[in-house]
Amino acid sequence: MNKLITFAGGCHCGQVRYQVQVERLEAVKCNCSICCKKGFIHLIVPASRFTLLQGQDALSTYTFNTGIAKHQFCRHCGIHAFYRPRSHPDGYDVNLRCLDDHPIDRFQITDFDGAHWEQQIDQIRDRYS
């Protein structure tokens, strides 16, 4: 196992704060309808590597389609800083754009054809477990 790198992040207004530990500086850009509208870049981690530091009471949840994914957002500023993804329902998916100090340039970002989710999901399901 590689050394874990710790990042902090949160929503725009600061009500929601979290910490995430990653092994690889890799993320996924998806072209599905919700990811395109949110501008979400996916940093998927096991639940053991995600800690909500504050703001549980500030979170609202949006679900659609199968209802498996729990799209959480700050009810004050509306930012979707992380969620429980359908692809990894036991993990967390952090929005790379919501990490402090904008480390996006440090990450290798791979495109994912989420517009055809059912046919493509195996590309990321095992990779980010």
Side-chain angles (χ1 to χ4, degrees):
M1 179 166 96
N2 295 329
K3 181 179 176 182
L4 295 177
I5 302 166
T6 302
F7 294 96
C11 67
H12 188 257
C13 72
Q15 296 277 327
V16 176
R17 297 289 303 156
Y18 59 81
Q19 180 176 294
V20 62
Q21 295 178 310
V22 298
E23 187 174 343
R24 296 180 307 266
L25 297 178
E26 299 175 356
V28 175
K29 183 179 175 190
C30 178
N31 67 350
C32 79
S33 61
I34 195 165
C35 292
C36 285
K37 289 187 181 277
K38 288 194 299 186
F40 209 99
I41 297 179
H42 304 268
L43 178 58
I44 302 169
V45 298
S48 63
R49 295 188 185 163
F50 177 88
T51 304
L52 182 61
L53 301 172
Q54 69 182 44
Q56 180 67 47
D57 59 336
L59 292 171
S60 289
T61 303
Y62 172 69
T63 61
F64 66 98
N65 194 11
T66 65
I68 296 171
K70 305 300 181 206
H71 295 267
Q72 295 183 296
F73 60 95
C74 176
R75 64 183 174 83
H76 301 284
C77 67
I79 296 298
H80 295 240
F82 69 92
Y83 76 106
R84 301 298 292 251
R86 179 178 168 200
S87 63
H88 299 78
D90 294 330
Y92 284 89
D93 194 343
V94 172
N95 189 347
L96 187 58
R97 296 180 191 276
C98 291
L99 296 180
D100 295 349
D101 301 322
H102 313 289
I104 195 168
D105 292 339
R106 296 175 57 190
F107 283 77
Q108 175 184 339
I109 300 172
T110 304
D111 288 334
F112 172 69
D113 185 10
H116 300 98
W117 198 91
E118 298 295 339
Q119 296 86 5
Q120 303 296 319
I121 191 55
D122 289 337
Q123 292 180 10
I124 64 169
R125 184 168 276 144
D126 295 333
R127 175 114 174 102
Y128 299 98
S129 296

